[in-house]
Amino acid sequence: MQTLTNLPASAGMSLKPEYFDSVHTNLDANLWFEVHAENYLIQGGPRLEQLQEISSHFPISIHGVGASLGGPDPISQEHLSRLVSLLNLIPAAVFSEHIAWSGTQSNYLGNLMPTPITKDSIDSTAKNIMQLQNALQRPILIENPANYLSFKSDMPESEFMMSLVDITGCGILLDINNLFISANNTGIDPHSYIQGLNSDAIGEIHIAGHSTDPNEQGLLIDSHDSDVSKGVWELLEALLSHTGPKPVLIERDGNLPTFEALLAERNQAQHLINSIKKIV
């Protein structure tokens, strides 16, 4: 399998503009950052300039949310062109994107809709992955979704993901928070899911906080607006015990804490990776 990521097997954290001024203070040499591509698909400006400067000192993972890999249509050529321009400016260590459906016929849905887990959708999703990889001239990582309902499927989701890996040569961004949410909401076994993945295909791991739906008792929402839960930490430890050390991102998108508080949570992930290294 070709190299999927140039990230170190260490812990990283989401990089928001609110944190730019704090980036160069008292940081671990193994730290890396991740940004959402769609926040930087712009022509110049101070935000992009600051990201360029940070990328000269720290590895950067670029995470897309708008390609609609799992949708019925090919990826928008305009969107592809803007992604290519961004990656020409930022030396990204890895690029990742959701397996989701977020638009059709040039209309953006504003959400990550579920991709059917069927044999037919393997073909269309694989074509979109190849389209994106060919444009970027690199393998990408594909992220597992957070599921809120059980849908009829032709196969387990882990098998669907591995089929896409085998066909396209892409890798997997395994979002442990999404897996934990899916297990709670739909009853899948997260440990069987992990066992169904080729460890070598996992190029990055996400962990994040979630919330409970205010209207549907017991339903978990992938909100990224709180600290990582105990259950997600435990599932991360189980995963790393299976795979060995991997790049792990603390993902935070709402209710932003101070940079120091998020860094402390990141350091908790680094401590776990270090303990796995000793075992391995």
Side-chain angles (χ1 to χ4, degrees):
M1 181 178 292
Q2 57 186 318
T3 300
L4 297 172
T5 176
N6 290 316
L7 292 174
S10 60
M13 54 193 283
S14 290
L15 178 62
K16 304 300 182 185
E18 291 87 342
Y19 297 150
F20 281 170
D21 291 340
S22 302
V23 162
H24 298 292
T25 59
N26 302 316
L27 299 183
D28 188 320
N30 292 317
L31 180 64
W32 52 275
F33 296 103
E34 183 167 281
V35 298
H36 284 172
E38 285 73 13
N39 290 333
Y40 296 92
L41 300 183
I42 51 181
Q43 297 294 322
R47 178 183 291 187
L48 186 57
E49 289 178 2
Q50 285 177 291
L51 180 60
Q52 286 180 278
E53 194 277 330
I54 292 170
S55 72
S56 68
H57 299 282
F58 300 94
I60 299 293
S61 170
I62 296 182
H63 184 52
V65 298
S68 195
L69 290 180
D73 302 326
I75 303 170
S76 158
Q77 288 296 329
E78 179 184 0
H79 188 71
L80 280 177
S81 296
R82 295 173 76 185
L83 288 176
V84 170
S85 295
L86 175 62
L87 267 68
N88 284 338
L89 291 173
I90 306 298
V94 67
F95 183 90
S96 57
E97 179 59 82
H98 291 261
I99 292 298
W101 173 22
S102 54
T104 182
Q105 297 179 347
S106 300
N107 295 312
Y108 183 61
L109 301 176
N111 210 332
L112 297 171
M113 306 297 288
T115 298
I117 307 299
T118 65
K119 295 176 182 177
D120 288 341
S121 64
I122 285 178
D123 293 336
S124 59
T125 304
K127 288 178 181 177
N128 285 343
I129 292 171
M130 291 298 295
Q131 182 188 9
L132 181 53
Q133 291 186 146
N134 288 338
L136 300 181
Q137 291 295 294
R138 63 165 71 198
I140 68 167
L141 305 182
I142 55 173
E143 179 180 342
N144 57 299
N147 295 303
Y148 301 103
L149 295 170
S150 297
F151 294 97
K152 184 178 179 180
S153 304
D154 292 343
M155 66 199 76
E157 186 179 280
S158 57
E159 181 180 336
F160 181 83
M161 298 286 284
M162 284 307 306
S163 294
L164 293 171
V165 168
D166 292 340
I167 293 169
T168 68
C170 72
I172 291 174
L173 190 169
L174 185 57
D175 191 310
I176 292 297
N177 189 55
N178 287 358
L179 181 55
F180 184 86
I181 288 172
S182 296
N184 176 84
N185 294 345
T186 69
I188 65 170
D189 181 350
H191 299 283
S192 294
Y193 191 111
I194 289 171
Q195 293 295 326
L197 300 176
N198 181 341
S199 297
D200 291 339
I202 300 174
E204 185 181 336
I205 297 166
H206 277 186
I207 57 174
H210 51 257
S211 58
T212 302
D213 187 275
N215 300 311
E216 188 70 29
Q217 186 175 7
L219 186 73
L220 297 182
I221 303 298
D222 184 33
S223 54
H224 298 179
D225 60 0
S226 60
D227 293 345
V228 178
S229 73
K230 179 181 178 182
V232 170
W233 282 115
E234 290 173 347
L235 192 54
L236 173 63
E237 184 174 8
L239 171 65
L240 292 177
S241 297
H242 174 63
T243 64
K246 296 280 185 179
V248 177
L249 179 82
I250 302 290
E251 194 174 21
R252 190 66 173 253
D253 295 319
N255 191 25
L256 294 180
T258 65
F259 182 83
E260 291 74 19
L262 190 61
L263 182 62
E265 196 170 27
R266 175 267 171 192
N267 290 342
Q268 185 177 346
Q270 186 62 52
H271 178 75
L272 180 56
I273 294 170
N274 291 342
S275 68
I276 294 296
K277 286 181 180 180
K278 292 179 182 179
I279 295 173
V280 174

